[in-house]
Amino acid sequence: MPQGRLKFGEGKISGYVSIFLSLLSFFAVFCFKFPEWLTSPEFREVYTGESMMMLLTATIIASFFFALLSFMLSKQKKWALIGLVICTVTIFIGGFRVQGRSVEKTNWHLGLDWLLLDLLLMAVIFVPIEMVFPKNSKQTKFHEEWRTDLVYFVVSHLFIQFFGAITQQPAKLFFGWMGLSGLHQWVQNLPFVIELLFAFFITDLFQYWAHRFFHSHHYLWRFHSVHHSTKNMDWLAGSRTHFVDIFVTRSMAFIPLYVFGFSEITFNTYIVFMAIHAVLIHANTRINFGFLKYIIATPQYHHWHHCEDPRYYGKNFATIFPFIDKIFGTYYLPGNQWPEGTGLHEAYYPKGYLKQMIYPFTKSPFDSDLKMEDRTKR
Ligand SMILES: [Zn+2]
Ligand SMILES: [Zn+2]
């Protein structure tokens, strides 16, 4: 693995792009072959088999193109070669021949389609941004924990059905018995922009308190601190979130969505916005969004939440709206300054996804459980 940052013109970037795209295509073929088990019904309603076939064809061709580019630019031919081999295998197993077909709903499925599409979309948006406008220009994509972060990304996407089902349970359990259809109707009759802003605000408010709760209770902090353990903030780093953290925080955010019964378009806009925005605020980019940074959370804002220096712990809990932190006295955004480092002080974590999953249940990553609260007084 390369130690330093990749440079343009060496043929390595194109080589990696080729391998990345060929791997996506390879797995996509299986989505076409076994859609009952590998694609999500909610997602199948959004795309058509035909559009996905076109995307697959384009991805294979792009992968070939980048392999060729790498071959011409680089003295080392292995990257191009790996891309070419995976591409060839993909075509061999039906990359250009597969077709979408009608699918019978099954009891369980993996979200491989969601994983591949989101991975492609996020990489297309954020990899160029991080290359051209990096915050930390010395940081490489292939830092020591990128594989672990990728595993977090893969797991939370593949098991989307499971995560979706469990996050809905608390809301249904506590509020399912209420007659809420009158309220739903009223909310859905609001003008779209008002309804959307209200949805963003109310979910962020719930999310704020769930998040702050994770910071202020010793046992819960063990789980959430996994998310804070990243020293290398980038577009994949936000995925590093413990299962318990995902369950509680998402369940909390789902409660207002359930109770107010927002319209489908509002709900879907919220999901898409959150999927992109949550990645953005962790990204390694100095883009600062001008005055918008006072209205909506930006990378600078959330990087301060991840600041390594304990003096700045307990700031910027909101995910979308900084004014929520203003209201509750946890806002911190000093001009154009950025935190010097991100991560945790004096914390120990085992390496790897599975170990990090199990560890906080029985052990604390900190020498003293009190450290966090002592310093933040909350
Ligand atoms: Zn946090
Ligand atoms: Zn974060």
Side-chain angles (χ1 to χ4, degrees):
M1 278 298 125
Q3 292 305 308
R5 209 173 153 82
L6 298 177
K7 291 190 198 77
F8 288 106
E10 290 181 337
K12 258 186 192 167
I13 296 175
S14 44
Y16 287 135
V17 172
S18 170
I19 294 170
F20 175 68
L21 293 178
S22 63
L23 280 173
L24 289 184
S25 319
F26 175 78
F27 288 111
V29 172
F30 293 93
C31 286
F32 282 96
K33 285 185 185 272
F34 310 102
E36 292 86 356
W37 312 109
L38 299 178
T39 66
S40 11
E42 300 81 13
F43 227 44
R44 286 198 300 265
E45 282 176 23
V46 180
Y47 58 67
T48 61
E50 223 158 89
S51 60
M52 289 302 107
M53 269 163 57
M54 277 159 62
L55 184 63
L56 176 57
T57 306
T59 311
I60 297 174
I61 293 171
S63 174
F64 266 119
F65 167 78
F66 282 107
L68 197 68
L69 192 65
S70 173
F71 197 78
M72 291 189 303
L73 289 173
S74 175
K75 285 191 205 89
Q76 277 215 28
K77 307 297 178 199
K78 66 174 174 186
W79 312 116
L81 216 62
I82 296 171
L84 277 178
V85 168
I86 303 172
C87 261
T88 312
V89 173
T90 304
I91 295 169
F92 186 73
I93 61 171
F96 285 142
R97 292 192 314 270
V98 282
Q99 282 190 342
R101 57 174 166 85
S102 61
V103 180
E104 295 222 353
K105 211 175 159 187
T106 46
N107 282 337
W108 68 268
H109 58 264
L110 293 174
L112 184 60
D113 54 345
W114 165 231
L115 167 65
L116 299 177
L117 286 167
D118 199 33
L119 197 55
L120 177 65
L121 182 69
M122 293 304 124
V124 165
I125 297 175
F126 290 104
V127 172
I129 288 180
E130 290 190 346
M131 288 182 104
V132 182
F133 308 107
K135 168 67 199 61
N136 180 356
S137 56
K138 291 199 182 77
Q139 183 178 307
T140 157
K141 298 249 163 312
F142 301 103
H143 53 78
E144 53 168 354
E145 288 183 296
W146 75 275
R147 287 185 202 83
T148 306
D149 290 345
L150 183 63
V151 173
Y152 277 99
F153 189 94
V154 169
V155 170
S156 68
H157 283 72
L158 272 190
F159 298 102
I160 184 175
Q161 183 191 17
F162 172 69
F163 282 107
I166 59 161
T167 46
Q168 292 176 10
Q169 291 317 312
K172 286 181 179 164
L173 193 71
F174 292 115
F175 302 96
W177 54 273
M178 288 183 180
L180 294 164
S181 54
L183 179 64
H184 292 181
Q185 207 148 38
W186 181 79
V187 170
Q188 291 179 13
N189 280 333
L190 290 169
F192 172 66
V193 178
I194 306 283
E195 190 192 339
L196 191 66
L197 285 177
F198 179 56
F200 280 6
F201 168 69
I202 196 78
T203 48
D204 208 25
L205 192 64
F206 272 68
Q207 186 283 136
Y208 174 95
W209 283 107
H211 189 183
R212 202 163 152 177
F213 201 57
F214 267 100
H215 274 254
S216 52
H217 288 79
H218 299 162
Y219 193 65
L220 287 179
W221 170 237
R222 286 186 189 183
F223 295 97
H224 181 61
S225 60
V226 173
H227 178 69
H228 280 266
S229 68
T230 179
K231 288 190 169 66
N232 300 285
M233 295 288 276
D234 65 14
W235 68 282
L236 265 183
S239 310
R240 195 189 302 176
T241 308
H242 193 281
F243 166 77
V244 169
D245 191 354
I246 297 182
F247 168 64
V248 175
T249 312
R250 285 202 200 158
S251 303
M252 282 295 280
F254 186 73
I255 286 173
L257 290 172
Y258 181 82
V259 169
F260 289 103
F262 294 99
S263 58
E264 205 178 317
I265 173 90
T266 300
F267 186 81
N268 290 340
T269 310
Y270 169 80
I271 299 287
V272 172
F273 176 86
M274 288 304 283
I276 299 174
H277 183 255
V279 174
L280 167 75
I281 58 177
H282 293 95
N284 176 26
T285 176
R286 59 173 185 267
I287 298 181
N288 230 353
F289 300 91
F291 75 96
L292 273 178
K293 74 173 187 176
Y294 300 108
I295 298 167
I296 204 156
T298 57
Q300 184 202 8
Y301 181 81
H302 194 66
H303 281 224
W304 274 111
H305 178 69
H306 280 260
C307 181
E308 185 189 25
D309 187 335
R311 282 177 300 166
Y312 301 100
Y313 280 179
K315 304 286 180 203
N316 303 357
F317 292 107
T319 302
I320 309 176
F321 294 125
F323 75 83
I324 295 181
D325 278 294
K326 269 243 154 93
I327 294 173
F328 298 113
T330 47
Y331 177 87
Y332 189 70
L333 197 65
N336 285 327
Q337 262 173 283
W338 287 70
E340 284 202 8
T342 56
L344 286 168
H345 219 62
E346 299 164 20
Y348 165 77
Y349 285 91
K351 300 259 178 267
Y353 176 84
L354 264 184
K355 284 183 185 157
Q356 287 182 2
M357 272 300 108
I358 298 161
Y359 192 83
F361 283 104
T362 53
K363 293 195 188 83
S364 169
F366 304 94
D367 299 339
S368 154
D369 253 349
L370 280 170
K371 236 159 229 158
M372 180 80 180
E373 287 68 27
D374 280 350
R375 282 168 177 158
T376 62
K377 302 213 168 26
R378 78 172 57 87

